[in-house]
Amino acid sequence: MLEGDGNSGYHNGTMALFSSLFGGTNDKAIAQHNTTVDRINALEEEMAGLSGAGLKERSSELKEELAGGATLDDILSEAFALVRETAKRNLGQRAYDTQVLGGITLHQGRIAQMRTGEGKTLAATLPTYLNALSGNGVHVVTVNDYLARRDAVWMGQVYYALGLSIGVITHDSAYLYDPAHVIEEGGESENKADEERDETGSFRVEQSYLRPVARREAYAADITYGTNNEFGFDYLRDNLVQEKEAKVQRGFHYAIVDEVDSILIDEARTPLIISAPDTESSDLYTTFAGIVPQLKEEEDYTVNEKLRSVVITQHGLEKVERTLGIDNLYDETGGGGVRHAHALEQALRAAVMFTRDKDYVVREGEVIIVDEFTGRLMPGRRYSDGLHQAIEAKEGVAIQRESRTVASITFQNYFRMYEKLSGMTGTAITNAEEFDKVYKLPVVLIPTNKPLVREDLPDLVFATEEGKFKAVIEEVKRRNGTGQPVLIGTTSIERNEYLSALLGKTGIKHELLNAKNHEREAEIIAQAGRRGAVTVATNMAGRGVDIILGGNPSNPDEAAAVRAAGGLFIMGTERHEARRIDDQLRGRAGRQGDPGASQFFLSLEDKMLRVFGGDRVQRLMKTLRIPEDQPIESKMISGVIENAQSKIEGMNFDTRKHLLDYDEVLNKQRTSMYRRRDLVLESSVEDLVALANGYLEEHIRGLVAAYTTGEAAREWDMEALQKELAALMPVQLGIVSEGEKILEAETDLEEARERFENWVVEQVMAALKTRQQELGDAMFATAVRWLMLRTIDTLWMDHLDEMEYLRDSVRLRAYAQRDPLVEYKNEGSRMFSDLEAAITATVASSLFKVQIHEAPQAHQHLHAQHKGGEGEAVPAVVAGPKEPGRNDPCPCGSGLKWKKCGMINAPEHKG
């Protein structure tokens, strides 16, 4: 194992396993990289002799070499040396050899495990710059908007000096890095912000130098910073646009994912979903929110904390039915039904399994989810399947409308679209197998620049939570008295605030950090290393900001005093389900060879011990008559914790694997549907006309075949076919007479059928040609594009609903000894074939019905339009002057009901 791998917090068993499986490979990779590092170091003197303009000119020459046929590996050494020298001049930071090792690892499409404080952000500039030289774009993925802005401005100085452009994507804005922007704004406030940044280390500089631009322009930059959510949502939104020019992304060349374990592992259990309002929420959520508190655990419902599930008992069901005054909750005809049963189930889950200030917060009358791993708020994200509405009813806030899925994708399938993917984190070993299996990303341990001297003390376990927190307060008082800074990690906002209150009663001055005051996150964490500082934070809060001993900026005397006091002391107040989260908390101390220590304070009432084997420990402590405020250290307890975390990690891996297995089926369908959509968006007028002809011909041939089956001519139903075609198009065809004429002339039935089919197709296509000439090619193509996109979007949304229902239903087939996943694949394939046929039929049957008119400016929002030039009228697919009822056909001629037609692209259609 490499010296100073920076992860002494990992369990020995896990490290030994990693070493046995990957140690040789890891050492070999590092040895190969060291040869490259030597070549880069050999260029340092040459680069130092270049002027600023010379560095930029050399950057242009590297671009030309790539354009001339050189590979990225051919120019790697010079590119890395160029970035190192530029960063040294512009940032005052020279990349260590270990950071260069990390950069090489990232360039090779691997995960670089670099412990906290080793400078991952600077290391990432090396492969980011190199890969951006191709001009295809590099995405740098961060965990929040703050880090995206900060890193773009911080590292943007390097890229900008070398002639590259830098974009930033945030939740509601997009920017380009532009040093001139602060001058144009002329803001003394901006310069003042820089001064304040220097004084507090809070990095508020991200508010300067970022010029607001359109999202598309930010993506067109050589390098684009943003969060995983925004990259994913923009991909989904790009596949809902009505015009090619409305797309903002330009491909998936190369991505570097910061905190890769948080993004690709922790957040991979929840897919990204774009939804559209469906029907108004009923009173059911409010009704059941009032009933559920009357139910008693064990008597009326049972809880399985391991599986996070709650099930109503027969006794509880009867109590609910009596309260509602109905005989059978599941009887559709008796006042109940599936909607009632579903609302009850979600109300129970909301009441029992979801806790305020732990799983969510209520802010300004809105329920906002708290990320269980990062402790940060997730505005805009909602629990699905009515659960969010149930929580809103429980909290007494306005219940928002339920929604239908318009588009969705898992992070696994999104990030696997990149031609090359890499990541960096301080904690990837425990998930090395999953990274390799799912993403084909091997993990490489990068040695620390200086040996790790942090001391990780054994866990202290107390009988009760009260006893644990008493000990925590006493330990904080003791260490605070010596001037040693203390960072206390909690697993929830609720416990975070409880501990803060206890510290306040004791008179210990401290900083509180959680999702409720995340605006000051960077500033609080940046000063957590000051002498005597006490910081209480949710476990993951503040990642991305270094804790420098003595504060930021560091005062040498202060730093020396803190080192003498033992460095930063990390206190964990509860074990997290994932070992990585505990290790991330520990990793906040001991950066760059600093002294420090960590210790976890636990109780038998903690969820981890209570749910997974705490009874045995409880009996042991009672037998030994150990006081509640006296800790014990036991190998048995350590074993219980390790086993519990391993079990939970295994369950979570299974959950993610299960999600991925099912989404693989949907992903193939999604890819096919989006390709179809792109074909429509990118087609010229001539291509759109050809597409329309192809759809119509396929549909007509299918109709004719359906009505001319059988072994004898008498089995042909030409009258029914004539009615079908009469409903399809305005021109009346002599189907019956022509059919009889062809049958009389042909002796071979198959030849007669083929001749008849060709005749019908010719007549219909001629009618469509006439329609096209009436409208003009451009106008006709506009209508075709709109019709095809609207049909694809609407039917795809229905398909997503049906696939979700299918997924729920196939679970029951396991009782019949049939594999649910195989059933899902088979049924899903059949349903997708039906979807493709439905799209063809819907488009074909609507081609003669779509009407075009010169749309008044005030009505341009109703449907997708083709924008005319200046002074031109804007053609639009017609919406009649009278608004129909929700279930009436939409007058656009799509053949869809008004409610469905307006669902995605015309939200004003409310009926």
Side-chain angles (χ1 to χ4, degrees):
M1 184 59 61
L2 293 165
E3 179 185 16
D5 65 3
N7 292 286
S8 63
Y10 286 107
H11 302 293
N12 293 333
T14 302
M15 292 299 290
L17 176 63
F18 183 87
S19 182
S20 65
L21 293 176
F22 306 105
T25 305
N26 194 84
D27 293 343
K28 184 177 179 181
I30 294 297
Q32 291 173 342
H33 295 352
N34 280 330
T35 304
T36 307
V37 172
D38 291 340
R39 289 199 298 269
I40 295 166
N41 289 340
L43 293 167
E44 190 161 11
E45 187 175 344
E46 178 187 339
M47 294 299 168
L50 296 175
S51 65
L55 293 172
K56 191 171 185 178
E57 183 180 349
R58 189 68 195 104
S59 181
S60 298
E61 291 172 359
L62 290 179
K63 280 188 179 181
E64 292 173 6
E65 287 182 33
L66 277 180
T71 68
L72 292 176
D73 288 339
D74 291 338
I75 64 170
L76 184 148
S77 297
E78 195 162 357
F80 276 35
L82 201 59
V83 174
R84 176 190 257 176
E85 179 61 29
T86 307
K88 186 167 67 173
R89 296 186 192 185
N90 288 273
L91 306 179
Q93 296 177 322
R94 176 191 177 277
Y96 304 129
D97 285 0
T98 52
Q99 289 172 299
V100 177
L101 283 173
I104 297 169
T105 300
L106 292 172
H107 166 66
Q108 292 180 335
R110 303 180 180 186
I111 291 175
Q113 176 158 307
M114 303 173 65
R115 73 172 305 276
T116 302
E118 289 298 304
K120 293 187 288 291
T121 306
L122 182 61
T125 60
L126 302 164
T128 298
Y129 166 76
L130 172 63
N131 285 268
L133 289 174
S134 68
N136 294 320
V138 174
H139 293 171
V140 183
V141 186
T142 67
V143 294
N144 59 44
D145 286 347
Y146 160 73
L147 289 176
R149 291 192 300 266
R150 186 204 71 176
D151 292 354
V153 171
W154 190 11
M155 300 299 128
Q157 300 170 71
V158 178
Y159 307 131
Y160 189 83
L162 292 172
L164 298 184
S165 55
I166 307 96
V168 185
I169 299 293
T170 63
H171 178 60
D172 51 6
S173 306
Y175 309 91
L176 279 181
Y177 173 77
D178 182 2
H181 181 60
V182 69
I183 299 172
E184 290 171 3
E185 296 297 324
E188 292 181 0
S189 59
E190 282 83 357
N191 295 328
K192 184 177 179 182
D194 286 344
E195 293 169 9
E196 188 173 0
R197 178 275 313 264
D198 293 335
E199 293 300 317
T200 66
S202 59
F203 297 98
R204 291 179 183 164
V205 69
E206 89 273 359
Q207 299 300 334
S208 311
Y209 315 131
L210 292 178
R211 174 165 52 85
V213 295
R215 228 168 171 80
R216 185 184 178 96
E217 191 175 349
Y219 275 111
D222 295 308
I223 299 159
T224 305
Y225 283 83
T227 66
N228 51 311
N229 287 339
E230 291 311 306
F231 283 126
F233 278 132
D234 281 340
Y235 168 72
L236 293 177
R237 284 189 284 259
D238 271 358
N239 287 286
L240 292 172
V241 299
Q242 298 298 304
E243 296 176 345
K244 182 175 66 174
E245 293 73 18
K247 280 195 167 191
V248 297
Q249 292 185 335
R250 62 180 178 121
F252 305 94
H253 171 55
Y254 176 47
I256 297 178
V257 183
D258 192 12
E259 307 297 358
V260 65
D261 50 342
S262 174
I263 291 173
L264 297 190
I265 300 296
D266 297 337
E267 295 197 38
R269 282 192 286 173
T270 307
L272 291 174
I273 296 174
I274 290 180
S275 56
D278 188 10
T279 55
E280 295 290 339
S281 292
S282 67
D283 297 332
L284 284 179
Y285 293 111
T286 303
T287 299
F288 284 110
I291 293 175
V292 164
Q294 303 171 28
L295 305 180
K296 299 177 182 178
E297 188 174 349
E298 298 302 332
E299 181 181 316
D300 297 321
Y301 61 86
T302 59
V303 178
N304 187 324
E305 290 192 80
K306 293 181 182 179
L307 300 178
R308 280 182 67 86
S309 65
V310 55
V311 179
I312 193 161
T313 65
Q314 184 61 36
H315 184 274
L317 185 60
E318 291 171 358
K319 183 184 288 187
V320 171
E321 288 169 344
R322 286 196 302 273
T323 304
L324 292 173
I326 60 178
D327 294 329
N328 186 346
L329 185 72
Y330 294 90
D331 183 6
E332 296 284 349
T333 61
V338 174
R339 289 176 65 245
H340 282 67
H342 179 70
L344 171 59
E345 177 187 345
Q346 298 296 47
L348 260 177
R349 288 186 66 205
V352 178
M353 305 307 301
F354 290 80
T355 306
R356 181 170 179 166
D357 289 341
K358 179 177 181 293
D359 301 295
Y360 63 90
V361 299
V362 178
R363 175 175 288 182
E364 298 178 357
E366 183 180 357
V367 172
I368 304 176
I369 299 172
V370 174
D371 189 303
E372 66 173 303
F373 294 100
T374 66
R376 296 188 177 103
L377 297 182
M378 302 171 73
R381 299 281 287 270
R382 289 176 64 82
Y383 295 117
S384 60
D385 207 23
L387 177 59
H388 212 95
Q389 286 83 359
I391 295 174
E392 287 168 336
K394 165 190 169 183
E395 295 295 342
V397 301
I399 300 175
Q400 297 186 26
R401 298 194 326 182
E402 292 198 63
S403 58
R404 295 181 65 199
T405 298
V406 175
S408 72
I409 192 170
T410 60
F411 280 126
Q412 291 102 322
N413 278 320
Y414 172 76
F415 281 106
R416 291 194 303 184
M417 289 193 297
Y418 284 90
E419 296 170 31
K420 184 165 71 174
L421 178 67
S422 64
M424 50 190 183
T425 179
T427 49
I429 290 177
T430 52
N431 293 97
E433 181 184 2
E434 184 170 353
F435 279 125
D436 185 54
K437 283 186 175 180
V438 176
Y439 302 101
K440 302 294 185 288
L441 285 175
V443 177
V444 177
L445 274 72
I446 307 300
T448 54
N449 183 50
K450 295 180 180 179
L452 178 74
V453 297
R454 185 187 71 234
E455 183 181 10
D456 294 323
L457 302 171
D459 297 348
L460 299 180
V461 184
F462 299 82
T464 66
E465 188 174 66
E466 185 178 351
K468 174 182 73 174
F469 280 116
K470 283 181 182 178
V472 167
I473 298 299
E474 289 302 314
E475 186 69 7
V476 172
K477 285 169 63 177
R478 185 178 73 80
R479 293 184 180 270
N480 185 248
T482 68
Q484 184 175 19
V486 179
L487 174 64
I488 309 171
T490 64
T491 58
S492 70
I493 298 173
E494 180 186 27
R495 282 287 164 262
N496 184 264
E497 294 177 339
Y498 173 71
L499 185 54
S500 174
L502 292 180
L503 290 169
K505 289 179 182 177
T506 314
I508 298 175
K509 186 179 178 181
H510 63 282
E511 285 279 8
L512 176 68
L513 176 58
N514 59 42
K516 292 183 177 179
N517 67 333
H518 65 94
E519 295 86 359
R520 294 185 59 234
E521 176 177 313
E523 183 178 341
I524 291 173
I525 290 297
Q527 305 311 321
R530 286 191 183 277
R531 181 165 54 172
V534 176
T535 309
V536 184
T538 46
N539 278 357
M540 290 273 289
R543 289 185 73 180
V545 180
D546 281 341
I547 299 178
I548 299 174
L549 299 187
N552 191 343
S554 180
N555 177 294
D557 294 335
E558 283 283 305
V562 172
R563 287 191 179 92
L568 180 65
F569 182 66
I570 302 292
M571 298 182 74
T573 58
E574 195 171 335
R575 285 284 197 169
H576 199 278
E577 291 181 353
R579 285 170 287 177
R580 288 180 299 98
I581 309 301
D582 294 340
D583 294 325
Q584 286 157 6
L585 178 61
R586 277 196 176 109
R588 302 317 301 263
R591 64 180 295 278
Q592 289 296 327
D594 284 340
S598 71
Q599 190 165 35
F600 278 83
F601 287 63
L602 312 175
S603 86
L604 298 182
E605 294 177 350
D606 293 348
K607 181 181 177 182
M608 180 70 67
L609 282 169
R610 177 171 49 80
V611 175
F612 292 93
D615 292 343
R616 289 181 296 157
V617 186
Q618 186 85 50
R619 288 195 296 270
L620 173 64
M621 296 189 78
K622 284 183 178 179
T623 302
L624 298 177
R625 297 182 180 180
I626 297 174
E628 69 170 20
D629 58 350
Q630 180 178 328
I632 64 168
E633 296 178 24
S634 166
K635 289 184 178 179
M636 184 185 80
I637 295 176
S638 299
V640 168
I641 293 171
E642 289 182 24
N643 288 336
Q645 289 179 316
S646 296
K647 285 179 183 177
I648 294 171
E649 285 171 357
M651 288 165 56
N652 289 341
F653 179 36
D654 289 343
T655 299
R656 290 188 293 269
K657 183 69 167 57
H658 185 261
L659 175 68
L660 182 59
D661 287 341
Y662 279 85
D663 194 61
E664 282 290 352
V665 179
L666 200 57
N667 191 53
K668 291 176 182 176
Q669 299 178 359
R670 179 192 301 114
T671 302
S672 174
M673 200 53 53
Y674 287 174
R675 273 202 301 262
R676 183 188 288 244
R677 231 184 162 276
D678 285 341
L679 177 63
V680 175
L681 283 173
E682 295 166 8
S683 291
S684 63
V685 170
E686 294 78 11
D687 290 338
L688 283 168
V689 171
L691 274 175
N693 287 336
Y695 273 50
L696 184 58
E697 181 175 344
E698 182 181 344
H699 181 58
I700 295 303
R701 290 192 184 279
L703 283 179
V704 175
Y707 287 107
T708 58
T709 58
E711 299 297 324
R714 63 177 179 275
E715 296 179 41
W716 289 15
D717 194 347
M718 288 182 287
E719 290 186 359
L721 176 61
Q722 182 160 299
K723 289 180 181 178
E724 187 88 40
L725 293 175
L728 176 73
M729 53 190 287
V731 179
Q732 295 295 317
L733 301 179
I735 295 293
V736 176
S737 59
E738 185 65 25
E740 290 174 348
K741 188 189 303 181
I742 290 174
L743 283 172
E744 288 175 5
E746 293 286 352
T747 56
D748 185 277
L749 189 61
E750 270 311 310
E751 290 181 6
R753 180 185 287 112
E754 183 178 347
R755 181 178 164 188
F756 176 66
E757 180 180 303
N758 290 335
W759 178 84
V760 174
V761 169
E762 286 173 9
Q763 301 305 307
V764 175
M765 301 310 290
L768 184 64
K769 182 67 175 177
T770 301
R771 173 72 172 150
Q772 176 187 336
Q773 292 170 346
E774 290 172 356
L775 296 175
D777 289 351
M779 193 78 77
F780 180 74
T782 298
V784 168
R785 176 180 282 118
W786 174 86
L787 178 60
M788 287 182 172
L789 292 176
R790 174 57 58 86
T791 303
I792 291 170
D793 290 344
T794 304
L795 296 183
W796 173 246
M797 184 167 65
D798 289 342
H799 180 72
L800 288 176
D801 284 344
E802 291 165 6
M803 289 295 285
E804 184 63 31
Y805 297 146
L806 174 63
R807 183 171 170 178
D808 290 338
S809 66
V810 294
R811 294 171 187 164
L812 300 176
R813 302 186 191 183
Y815 294 109
Q817 305 301 311
R818 289 189 288 180
D819 186 334
L821 181 59
V822 172
E823 294 288 303
Y824 182 76
K825 288 179 179 178
N826 293 338
E827 287 285 324
S829 177
R830 181 191 58 76
M831 289 166 59
F832 188 68
S833 296
D834 292 345
L835 167 66
E836 292 183 307
I839 290 172
T840 300
T842 304
V843 170
S845 62
S846 304
L847 283 171
F848 289 100
K849 300 172 184 174
V850 175
Q851 300 293 320
I852 305 293
H853 76 138
E854 302 302 319
Q857 197 72 19
H859 293 124
Q860 286 177 14
H861 65 273
L862 290 179
H863 290 286
Q865 299 102 30
H866 170 78
K867 296 179 181 177
E870 186 176 353
E872 296 177 3
V874 181
V877 182
V878 70
K882 178 179 178 296
E883 186 176 272
R886 294 178 68 85
N887 293 316
D888 290 341
C890 185
C892 70
S894 66
L896 302 170
K897 292 179 180 177
W898 172 267
K899 171 185 169 184
K900 278 194 174 181
C901 191
M903 184 63 70
I904 300 175
N905 298 309
E908 289 79 7
H909 289 191
K910 294 179 181 176

